[in-house]
Amino acid sequence: MDVKDVVAVVSGGASGLGEGTARALASAGAKVAILDMGLDKAKAVADEIGGIALQCDVSDAVSAEQAMADVEAQLGPCGIAVNCAGIAPAKRIVGREGPQALEDFNKVIQVNLVGTFNIMRLAAAQMQKRDPNADGERGVIVSTASVAAFEGQIGQAAYAASKGGVVALTLPAAREFAKSGIRVNAIAPGLFGTPMLLGMPQEVQDSLASTLPFPSRFGKPEEYAKLVLHMVDNAIMNGEVVRLDSALRMQPK
């Protein structure tokens, strides 16, 4: 799909991987809408790239429905949707204080998995309204999984489960939307230089980076964004989950 003049929605687009993706899509000519809980930061990024910003809780049906309706009203129906909104708290299933609170596990599932599905369902409904291109294509959805979906570490049970769900969601969604000319892919990043990682002490950052075979550094948001743009451009890339991890294989802890 040619990105130019296509409406692109990026959840979690105010920072990290989402911000890098929003900037790359805008540079390629897309009409970008940033959906994020942090409206001030989202507006700052949107103003820089010539897009729009909307406050959105991806785990809430009404919030997402309103945000996506506003996107369509202001820019037109969504043609590209990139799911980057997510949280990654670490907690053991049974810790020193006893079993993990069920609501803690549920919150991660709601934001990372349900939130991905929420934006996917709403974006796909809008994509079906678009005129197809020469290939019959109407839209592209890219979700963010994680290497934790395959090698979740101790303390990552909720996060790994949520990202494993994103992986499992990708193929059935691609199969269902095929008749409408909508492709669905996912990226499973390893260690990237997002605010969460860069906020850790330098010695922790150095220790984590040393586990990466090559290159032994954190990935950059713009490198994630490059793969998003390739997935949008490559018309036969569908139903795929691609690791982007410097050959990292996570150890138990």
Side-chain angles (χ1 to χ4, degrees):
M1 171 179 285
D2 185 355
V3 172
K4 186 172 174 55
D5 295 326
V6 174
V7 177
V9 172
V10 183
S11 72
S15 63
L17 302 180
E19 180 182 350
T21 300
R23 291 183 182 279
L25 286 165
S27 293
K31 301 175 182 177
V32 178
I34 295 174
L35 274 53
D36 205 284
M37 289 286 285
L39 187 57
D40 289 343
K41 181 63 167 67
K43 283 183 175 178
V45 176
D47 288 345
E48 289 182 22
I49 66 175
I52 65 170
L54 298 162
Q55 191 165 42
C56 178
D57 177 357
V58 296
S59 68
D60 182 80
V62 174
S63 178
E65 287 164 7
Q66 184 60 61
M68 290 299 292
D70 289 345
V71 170
E72 185 171 15
Q74 295 183 47
L75 301 179
C78 174
I80 299 167
V82 187
N83 286 299
C84 289
I87 57 176
K91 187 172 288 189
R92 289 176 181 254
I93 299 170
V94 180
R96 294 177 181 176
E97 299 179 358
Q100 179 182 156
L102 188 59
E103 56 264 32
D104 292 344
F105 181 90
N106 186 58
K107 182 178 180 179
V108 179
I109 299 298
Q110 287 295 316
V111 174
N112 293 355
L113 178 55
V114 176
T116 293
F117 177 82
N118 199 11
I119 298 301
M120 179 183 289
R121 72 185 179 95
L122 298 170
Q126 290 189 15
M127 290 172 182
Q128 290 175 0
K129 302 175 184 178
R130 300 183 72 247
D131 293 331
N133 65 13
D135 269 341
E137 187 172 52
R138 289 186 170 87
V140 181
I141 299 169
V142 179
S143 300
T144 305
S146 168
V147 295
F150 312 104
E151 300 122 28
Q153 296 183 298
I154 293 171
Q156 283 189 322
Y159 183 70
S162 70
K163 294 302 187 176
V166 172
V167 169
L169 174 62
T170 301
L171 183 59
R175 287 172 163 171
E176 177 180 341
F177 298 145
K179 66 180 183 297
S180 300
I182 298 169
R183 294 186 290 113
V184 184
N185 292 294
I187 299 172
L191 299 176
F192 272 72
T194 61
M196 180 181 69
L197 276 184
L198 296 179
M200 294 179 176
Q202 189 60 51
E203 60 269 22
V204 175
Q205 293 186 44
D206 293 343
S207 176
L208 288 171
S210 70
T211 67
L212 295 161
F214 185 81
S216 296
R217 61 165 175 80
F218 296 154
K220 301 174 183 178
E222 55 264 35
E223 291 169 327
Y224 173 93
K226 285 180 181 179
L227 184 52
V228 171
L229 290 177
H230 178 75
M231 286 180 165
V232 172
D233 180 66
N234 194 328
I236 63 169
M237 196 169 204
N238 195 14
E240 296 293 337
V241 179
V242 179
R243 293 181 68 126
L244 193 63
D245 60 15
S246 301
L248 172 68
R249 296 297 180 268
M250 301 284 279
Q251 298 303 305
K253 59 182 179 179

